Amino acid sequence: MSDKYSKTLKSEKLSDIKWKDINWKEAEKYVKRLQIRIVKAVKLNKWNLVKRLQYLLTNSFYAKAIAVRKVTSNKGKDTAGIDGIVWKTQDEKINAIINLKTQGYKSYPTKRIYIPKKNGKRRPLSIPTQTDRAMQTLQLLALQPIEETVGDRNSYGFRRYRSCHDAMTGIFKALSHKNDPKWILEGDIKGCFDNISHEWIMNNVPINKQILKEFLKSGFIFNKKLFPNTKGAAQGGAISPTIANITLNELENTIYQKINVNKKGKPIKDNKYHIRFIRYADDFIVAGASVEVLEKVKIIIKEFMKERGLELSEGKTLITNISDGFDFLGWNFRKYKEKLIIKPNKKSIKGVEEKISNIIKENKATKQANLIKQLNPIIIGWSNYHQSVCSRKVFQNLDGYLFKELYNWALKRHRKKGKKWVNRKYWNKISNRNWVFKSEEVELKRFTDTPIVRHYWLNTSKNTYLDEEYFLNLKEKKKISRFQKIKRTVAFNLQKTTN
């Protein structure tokens, strides 16, 4: 298998290629083959071979084509950087591939905007040009295989085939047994993306150093002024999450190696202090046998962070008992009489209630169908996220909240009509279900329409490039399990209403 465009065509002939004629299956096979070779070289510690393979990958036509396709097909495809250029036509995309060259590459400054956070503060977001996005994506194709191979076993954020739900099941596995650790260190890094040391990144992120320097030092433009970047990996760049992951890699092993030693500094074979570690991006928890052990762990983490230009947020880094519970990724983890229960946390519930309330308030005079079309994605998205934990009671309560909000909305629209008239206009009986909020076009979903489906445990020893079949099979199992549970839930509800 070879990249025929890179090997047999000269650059002046590439313009004759049509976007629609690119064999994408062949392109993906070629890139995947090189990525697998990179993984194997990393495992054998052959870093010179890794560099050669990365060079082959980042200079191939197929990899450049995939990078341009990703940039022009994701959610930000119509968002331009400071140059105002967006690739829309097939000719523009082909020209983008031809001009995507690593040699002599210069990065533009990013366009800086600020996004409001829930706590009232603003998060900086940098928007690169499409050329820079494509180059970052191209370099990411060569960097991800390394990150997946050397990454911490219990790191779940911004990684292929891993998710928040895998982190949740990892915590359940680590804390659900009777003799598991009872004390939890909740780690919070102060401005992780914005404060990583450039020197550390340059010395430790294994991609083309000249291009990496361009990414880091390009600066940003805000209010028509150019500001330099002296530290951090700009949020908004395609490669930034992976750089952040590489920065925090080895944290898990560092804790295990330094805490599980005897007085002479020799390693203890068994995990004497019951240390457990789970990380999702820059959020992590460490479980330990006592507060004293976790205080030692905290010192180890601070030393680890300092080397990388980072520091823990003292106000948000807490040590709590599992019987009091802790929040992580929108869930609350707490033991009730030695039984670990995972539920949506109060902040997440309040957030979805506010979204529902705001949508209803903003649509006082809109048609019922339009209101339903705005509410359904919120209901489906939130319930799907929480369907793998103990959410049944929360779903029921949210259905009640939703009904009250909608009923008040309907009554205010028709102040001179009676309640029976309002009921008949907006609520229907479908099959054996009463009080269905439905228009002629669309029906409102309920939170309880989503069945509770337990999340499959992920084997964290598997590599996403070498063992891809395992991850694809696991993905298919999840789909089948969810489909079967939906069928059983629908059948049960019908039987219940019939009786």
Side-chain angles (χ1 to χ4, degrees):
M1 190 187 302
S2 63
D3 186 342
K4 63 181 182 180
Y5 294 119
S6 298
K7 290 191 173 184
T8 64
L9 295 177
K10 295 180 180 178
S11 60
E12 60 264 27
K13 291 185 179 180
L14 289 175
S15 57
D16 296 334
I17 301 166
K18 302 296 182 185
W19 180 262
K20 63 181 180 180
D21 294 333
I22 296 174
N23 188 334
W24 293 109
K25 286 186 178 179
E26 187 72 20
E28 287 168 1
K29 282 182 183 178
Y30 176 81
V31 170
K32 193 178 292 183
R33 176 172 169 266
L34 281 177
Q35 288 175 324
I36 290 171
R37 289 180 66 190
I38 290 170
V39 170
K40 290 178 178 178
V42 172
K43 282 182 171 289
L44 294 172
N45 210 26
K46 295 182 177 180
W47 289 100
N48 287 331
L49 177 57
V50 170
K51 287 182 181 179
R52 291 200 296 272
L53 292 170
Q54 285 183 311
Y55 178 84
L56 280 175
L57 181 59
T58 54
N59 285 277
S60 71
F61 176 88
Y62 279 149
K64 292 176 182 179
I66 287 174
V68 171
R69 185 178 66 164
K70 285 186 177 182
V71 169
T72 55
S73 61
N74 61 19
K75 290 181 180 179
K77 63 183 178 180
D78 296 323
T79 305
I82 61 165
D83 60 357
I85 295 173
V86 177
W87 303 324
K88 290 187 176 181
T89 67
Q90 294 190 7
D91 288 341
E92 287 172 341
K93 294 174 186 178
I94 288 293
N95 287 332
I97 297 171
I98 295 169
N99 296 321
L100 196 63
K101 298 175 181 178
T102 54
Q103 191 171 1
Y105 169 75
K106 294 292 180 182
S107 179
Y108 283 93
T110 58
K111 183 167 67 175
R112 175 61 61 90
I113 61 172
Y114 289 88
I115 300 172
K117 296 169 68 175
K118 291 181 180 178
N119 59 8
K121 296 181 180 179
R122 297 193 302 167
R123 184 192 306 278
L125 183 67
S126 297
I127 303 173
T129 64
Q130 292 215 322
T131 299
D132 292 333
R133 273 178 259 173
M135 182 56 78
Q136 288 192 25
T137 305
L138 179 63
Q139 296 299 319
L140 186 60
L141 291 173
L143 181 62
Q144 269 188 328
I146 300 172
E147 196 271 333
E148 282 294 326
T149 308
V150 302
D152 286 343
R153 185 164 177 170
N154 288 299
S155 162
Y156 297 92
F158 304 123
R159 294 181 65 179
R160 297 173 81 232
Y161 300 117
R162 295 195 180 202
S163 66
C164 299
H165 298 85
D166 294 318
M168 178 268 294
T169 53
I171 293 175
F172 184 83
K173 188 182 177 187
L175 302 178
S176 60
H177 306 98
K178 186 177 180 180
N179 295 323
D180 284 334
K182 301 288 190 290
W183 293 94
I184 312 296
L185 170 66
E186 302 172 60
D188 186 272
I189 303 171
K190 191 183 294 183
C192 179
F193 278 84
D194 302 326
N195 293 303
I196 306 172
S197 163
H198 279 187
E199 183 182 355
W200 192 94
I201 293 173
M202 290 298 296
N203 291 334
N204 293 276
V205 176
I207 58 171
N208 185 307
K209 299 301 179 185
Q210 184 57 42
I211 292 176
L212 181 58
K213 187 177 180 181
E214 287 293 321
F215 292 158
L216 297 176
K217 303 295 183 181
S218 60
F220 64 90
I221 290 177
F222 182 66
N223 287 340
K224 298 182 180 180
K225 291 182 181 180
L226 177 63
F227 296 86
N229 281 336
T230 57
K231 57 183 179 179
Q235 295 187 58
I239 203 169
S240 298
T242 302
I243 289 176
N245 255 347
I246 290 173
T247 305
L248 296 176
N249 277 344
E250 286 301 315
L251 176 57
E252 180 178 0
N253 290 336
T254 300
I255 293 169
Y256 290 153
Q257 289 166 6
K258 290 192 175 182
I259 201 71
N260 286 308
V261 294
N262 59 24
K263 292 181 180 179
K264 294 181 180 180
K266 293 182 179 179
I268 301 168
K269 289 184 179 179
D270 61 328
N271 195 343
K272 180 182 176 181
Y273 298 108
H274 302 290
I275 298 296
R276 305 283 190 274
F277 178 91
I278 303 289
R279 177 169 69 84
Y280 187 91
D282 57 340
D283 294 322
F284 63 89
I285 63 120
V286 185
S290 66
V291 176
E292 292 74 23
V293 169
L294 291 181
E295 289 291 353
K296 291 178 183 178
V297 169
K298 192 174 177 182
I299 294 169
I300 294 168
I301 293 171
K302 283 182 177 180
E303 291 173 356
F304 179 92
M305 296 294 174
K306 188 177 180 180
E307 184 186 345
R308 291 153 174 78
L310 301 172
E311 59 179 320
L312 290 175
S313 173
E314 290 295 335
K316 295 181 180 178
T317 301
L318 309 170
I319 296 176
T320 54
N321 192 285
I322 191 66
S323 60
D324 297 323
F326 66 94
D327 290 343
F328 192 71
L329 299 176
W331 295 298
N332 178 261
F333 299 78
R334 185 177 176 184
K335 271 192 174 180
Y336 299 83
K337 297 181 180 179
E338 297 300 324
K339 185 175 182 180
L340 182 64
I341 302 294
I342 308 171
K343 299 184 290 187
N345 64 21
K346 292 179 180 179
K347 188 177 178 181
S348 184
I349 296 168
K350 186 179 179 181
V352 74
E353 286 179 345
E354 286 179 355
K355 280 184 181 178
I356 289 169
S357 179
N358 290 337
I359 289 171
I360 292 173
K361 285 176 183 177
E362 290 167 5
N363 290 273
K364 293 177 181 178
T366 194
K367 290 182 179 180
Q368 184 185 15
N370 292 336
L371 178 61
I372 293 173
K373 287 175 183 176
Q374 291 183 59
L375 288 172
N376 274 346
I378 304 297
I379 296 166
I380 294 169
W382 196 90
S383 55
N384 281 347
Y385 183 82
H386 294 286
Q387 72 173 158
S388 54
V389 299
C390 300
S391 304
R392 177 57 58 189
K393 192 171 181 180
V394 173
F395 286 174
Q396 290 171 350
N397 291 340
L398 285 172
D399 277 341
Y401 176 85
L402 181 61
F403 175 80
K404 288 177 183 177
E405 290 289 308
L406 290 172
Y407 201 69
N408 289 333
W409 171 85
L411 290 176
K412 287 176 182 177
R413 285 164 67 90
H414 306 282
R415 297 179 185 275
K416 295 182 180 180
K417 299 289 185 180
K419 289 185 178 181
K420 288 185 178 179
W421 185 92
V422 171
N423 296 347
R424 286 194 300 270
K425 180 172 176 59
Y426 293 105
W427 280 270
N428 300 277
K429 181 178 181 180
I430 298 177
S431 297
N432 293 306
R433 289 181 64 181
N434 296 318
W435 295 96
V436 178
F437 192 73
K438 182 180 182 299
S439 69
E440 293 179 1
E441 303 171 39
V442 64
E443 175 186 329
L444 183 72
K445 298 290 183 181
R446 300 183 187 185
F447 286 92
T448 47
D449 289 339
T450 303
I452 304 299
V453 182
R454 299 305 173 205
H455 190 74
Y456 277 91
W457 174 74
L458 178 72
N459 185 345
T460 54
S461 66
K462 299 288 186 181
N463 185 284
T464 57
Y465 291 95
L466 300 180
D467 308 299
E468 191 169 24
E469 190 176 344
Y470 164 80
F471 291 94
L472 294 175
N473 289 338
L474 187 64
K475 190 176 180 181
E476 192 61 29
K477 278 184 183 179
K478 291 174 185 177
K479 281 184 182 178
I480 293 170
S481 175
R482 187 172 185 274
F483 177 72
Q484 290 175 341
K485 192 64 183 281
I486 289 170
K487 281 179 67 178
R488 288 197 295 269
T489 302
V490 170
F492 176 77
N493 287 340
L494 283 173
Q495 185 180 4
K496 187 177 179 181
T497 51
T498 303
N499 295 336

